[in-house]
Amino acid sequence: MSSISELYDVCWEEMRDKLRKWREENYRNSEQIVDVGEELINEHASKLGDDVWIIYEQVMIAALDCSRDDLAWSCLQELKRQFPDSHRVKRLAGMRLEALERYEDANKLYDSILQDDPTNTAARKRKISILQAQGKSSEAIRELNEYLEQFVGDQEAWHELSELYINEHDYAKAAFCLEELMMTNPHNHLYCEQYAEVKYTQGGLENLELARKYFAQALKLNNRNMRALFGLYMSASHIAASPKVSAKVKKDNVKYAAWATSQISRAYQMAGRGKKENKCSVKAVEEMLESMQITMS
Amino acid sequence: MGEVELSCLAYAKMYLHASQFPRCSVNGLLLSSSPAGGAVCITDCVPLLHTHLSLAPITQLALTQVDAWCSQTHQRIMGYYQANACVSDSSPTPCALKIAEKIFEQCNNAVLLMIDGEKMFPGCRVPPIVMYERKDARWALKDKHTIMLRQWEETCSIVNQLFSSGDQALLVDFDSHLDDITKDWTNQKLNAKIMELVSPANGNV
């Protein structure tokens, strides 16, 4: 079994830099992290300087994700030895217990951290994750709401809560969470687009019009967001087809839908160029656009 | 309701889909190319989503596009599959029931298939599948003995081969297609690889 450095012809510095990039951009490509990180740790630990500790942490978490308890355990031992009283390392020990489904033991560990330091957000979030893993969504939602009352600026928590509400089909509350996120991140096209999807799902003319507006906003922020483009097309088409709208509203929405159609066709034509393999999906889109035109008029 | 046959191609792609996104709930549509009214055979599947399964716009979009593709390729949508993120719970969610209901409106021997994550480990002797059919106005568990997976061992070995060759990464679902529309959600390339591995002894697709 050849090493990563042989397979990809990279030196240890490049491997270290790759790990840093993945760390900074919060990628969850755990198999890759384990492959690269394990080799880096085994062969080049002495060259890494102080970076080695954060790499142990990163590799440990990735190892848990890949059920590599052997690797996770050895990383944890190194960290425990170096930082014997650290809450951060204790949290990692808790995560390992979670991976082994020893939730009670993990909770005890997190509770001991919180006794020492009630403001430790990492431990609180792990406790909520345990509730999610156990399928206790209503409790997770309740705990997360309580958490957000104290830590109202935590974007990750707001997004997690919106996801929980979406899974529970509580679209009104999911929309509220996404509104918070859009307020603090006005340039994030993904939040606009998710908000629009929630509104569309809630249904009714008013929500469809809101959905259309936010799909359009998402496109303004990122004109390559295909979900937003399709969303704009579908919401405008549905509004235009509704018997409750005035002639002007109908006309406007037909225009929006037509614009969206041309953008979609163009995008697919560019995607289809030279690629034999996606001819089927291109054809399917063309047919779909045609069939929806008929229902609209 | 009688027997339902699940082809190697459909099973392999569903399994690959669930494996590609182990932390998410995933879903997809089950297709049949055999004529309506005959024996029920799930010949293929289209993996759909791994995010926000219960939101309407993308699901509606996917259903419309798959419908269009089916009429071009003489197939019909005859079922729905889902694998829940929470591995210990393989019961159908409200969203699964809703979509299955919609499919039943067009196809009266529609099936709802839940993938049982707890049985998805190498060497498991039992197919990680729970199937439901429409009976007395609700979705009822189908008798395990009426679900046919021809050449089960061979199917398992084909799935293993796909993992060891790295070909499982070829699978594209509708969500991934929307992230990059040059990717093919009909999975022509992967289909070809799987069909290559299916021996003539496996009978039909």
Side-chain angles (χ1 to χ4, degrees):
Chain A
M1 177 82 198
S2 45
S3 66
I4 297 289
S5 45
E6 284 168 23
L7 265 174
Y8 298 98
D9 192 24
V10 289
C11 61
W12 71 268
E13 289 101 334
E14 288 169 286
M15 290 165 75
R16 174 203 59 193
D17 292 342
K18 245 315 171 334
L19 279 179
R20 180 186 6 210
K21 172 169 187 255
W22 292 334
R23 205 162 54 229
E24 286 171 0
E25 301 189 15
N26 216 357
Y27 283 3
R28 196 173 169 176
N29 52 337
S30 301
E31 282 104 352
Q32 277 183 301
I33 293 174
V34 162
D35 282 342
V36 174
E38 189 173 22
E39 193 176 306
L40 202 59
I41 291 171
N42 288 342
E43 315 281 323
H44 308 282
S46 51
K47 308 187 190 98
L48 294 169
D50 275 334
D51 268 355
V52 75
W53 307 114
I54 202 162
I55 289 176
Y56 272 125
E57 182 183 45
Q58 181 183 15
V59 173
M60 187 203 159
I61 296 177
L64 290 177
D65 225 5
C66 300
S67 298
R68 282 288 308 273
D69 191 49
D70 57 318
L71 179 58
W73 179 249
S74 54
C75 292
L76 185 59
Q77 296 310 100
E78 294 295 323
L79 288 164
K80 270 190 183 163
R81 210 174 334 208
Q82 182 71 9
F83 307 102
D85 294 310
S86 154
H87 280 162
R88 187 163 162 175
V89 175
K90 224 172 176 183
R91 178 207 117 170
L92 291 174
M95 284 176 80
R96 180 178 163 269
L97 291 171
E98 285 183 62
L100 297 169
E101 293 185 90
R102 289 169 52 186
Y103 297 123
E104 255 191 62
D105 292 336
N107 264 322
K108 280 201 200 119
L109 214 54
Y110 298 137
D111 285 335
S112 73
I113 297 178
L114 286 167
Q115 231 176 14
D116 236 14
D117 173 16
T119 66
N120 189 305
T121 57
R124 278 185 81 165
K125 289 191 196 182
R126 286 323 310 163
K127 285 179 66 84
I128 295 172
S129 304
I130 290 179
L131 290 170
Q132 285 177 268
Q134 295 173 312
K136 298 178 178 165
S137 352
S138 2
E139 287 167 63
I141 287 176
R142 195 185 53 225
E143 292 293 321
L144 198 40
N145 269 300
E146 270 183 43
Y147 172 88
L148 279 166
E149 275 171 33
Q150 253 192 290
F151 300 99
V152 83
D154 190 331
Q155 312 289 300
E156 183 187 58
W158 278 112
H159 197 247
E160 193 65 32
L161 188 54
S162 76
E163 298 279 318
L164 284 174
Y165 278 133
I166 289 173
N167 283 339
E168 296 299 302
H169 304 271
D170 195 339
Y171 301 121
K173 301 219 178 90
F176 179 79
C177 297
L178 287 162
E179 282 161 11
E180 281 289 327
L181 287 165
M182 288 194 293
M183 252 195 326
T184 43
N185 303 274
H187 299 293
N188 186 318
H189 65 107
L190 295 171
Y191 293 150
C192 280
E193 185 258 303
Q194 279 178 32
Y195 181 74
E197 283 195 52
V198 170
K199 284 291 153 196
Y200 183 107
T201 308
Q202 282 180 290
L205 200 53
E206 224 179 277
N207 284 326
L208 273 178
E209 295 204 301
L210 261 176
R212 192 205 65 227
K213 291 192 181 134
Y214 279 91
F215 280 129
Q217 179 65 8
L219 277 170
K220 243 203 280 193
L221 295 168
N222 180 342
N223 61 7
R224 298 229 209 102
N225 186 326
M226 285 311 289
R227 286 184 181 81
L229 195 48
F230 275 115
L232 174 61
Y233 169 71
M234 289 168 70
S235 38
S237 308
H238 281 299
I239 297 170
S242 163
K244 301 188 202 150
V245 299
S246 67
K248 171 156 198 320
V249 169
K250 184 180 168 106
K251 198 166 147 215
D252 285 342
N253 281 280
V254 168
K255 228 179 14 180
Y256 301 141
W259 177 84
T261 307
S262 65
Q263 296 297 305
I264 293 170
S265 298
R266 212 177 68 166
Y268 273 86
Q269 265 164 35
M270 288 188 42
R273 244 187 240 154
K275 273 209 168 195
K276 198 171 42 169
E277 32 197 55
N278 61 6
K279 283 282 185 291
C280 299
S281 23
V282 173
K283 265 183 94 185
V285 166
E286 285 171 6
E287 261 226 23
M288 177 198 86
L289 294 175
E290 249 185 63
S291 70
M292 284 187 87
Q293 294 274 46
I294 298 169
T295 46
M296 232 167 51
S297 49
Chain B
M1 219 187 119
E3 283 183 359
V4 173
E5 193 182 320
L6 183 59
S7 73
C8 174
L9 182 67
Y11 175 81
K13 288 202 294 191
M14 276 195 296
Y15 193 97
L16 258 46
H17 191 206
S19 310
Q20 205 175 72
F21 302 103
R23 302 134 196 155
C24 310
S25 294
V26 300
N27 67 5
L29 297 172
L30 302 171
L31 309 181
S32 178
S33 57
S34 42
V40 180
C41 184
I42 301 168
T43 49
D44 197 358
C45 74
V46 175
L48 290 185
L49 308 178
H50 56 267
T51 55
H52 300 153
L53 271 59
S54 58
L55 290 182
I58 305 301
T59 305
Q60 278 180 15
L61 178 70
L63 280 166
T64 318
Q65 285 207 28
V66 174
D67 227 358
W69 182 63
C70 278
S71 39
Q72 289 167 12
T73 52
H74 308 292
Q75 297 181 87
R76 55 201 173 85
I77 299 175
M78 58 143 302
Y80 169 85
Y81 75 82
Q82 183 170 307
N84 292 333
C86 188
V87 159
S88 53
D89 177 18
S90 61
S91 52
T93 58
C95 145
L97 293 168
K98 209 167 169 196
I99 300 178
E101 200 62 37
K102 262 228 143 60
I103 297 173
F104 175 72
E105 282 169 18
Q106 306 288 329
C107 170
N108 65 1
N109 49 13
V111 293
L112 164 58
L113 197 157
M114 295 301 294
I115 296 180
D116 185 354
E118 285 191 321
K119 300 204 177 70
M120 278 180 74
F121 55 87
C124 182
R125 300 287 190 80
V126 187
I129 279 171
V130 183
M131 220 186 255
Y132 296 80
E133 60 185 353
R134 207 63 168 50
K135 225 188 210 165
D136 306 323
R138 61 180 198 68
W139 290 94
L141 264 176
K142 201 165 158 50
D143 179 1
K144 271 191 282 225
H145 299 105
T146 59
I147 304 169
M148 314 299 289
L149 275 137
R150 286 219 226 145
Q151 317 287 86
W152 168 238
E153 259 116 41
E154 206 197 55
T155 301
C156 284
S157 120
I158 287 174
V159 169
N160 289 334
Q161 282 179 65
L162 291 169
F163 276 107
S164 47
S165 62
D167 284 333
Q168 92 282 7
L170 287 174
L171 184 95
V172 175
D173 71 358
F174 198 78
D175 249 341
S176 310
H177 166 78
L178 288 176
D179 290 334
D180 174 1
I181 58 174
T182 60
K183 291 193 176 159
D184 170 30
W185 56 260
T186 67
N187 286 295
Q188 299 300 306
K189 219 176 180 180
L190 180 62
N191 284 358
K193 293 251 154 137
I194 295 176
M195 293 320 287
E196 250 175 66
L197 295 170
V198 173
S199 76
N202 204 6
N204 74 333
V205 281

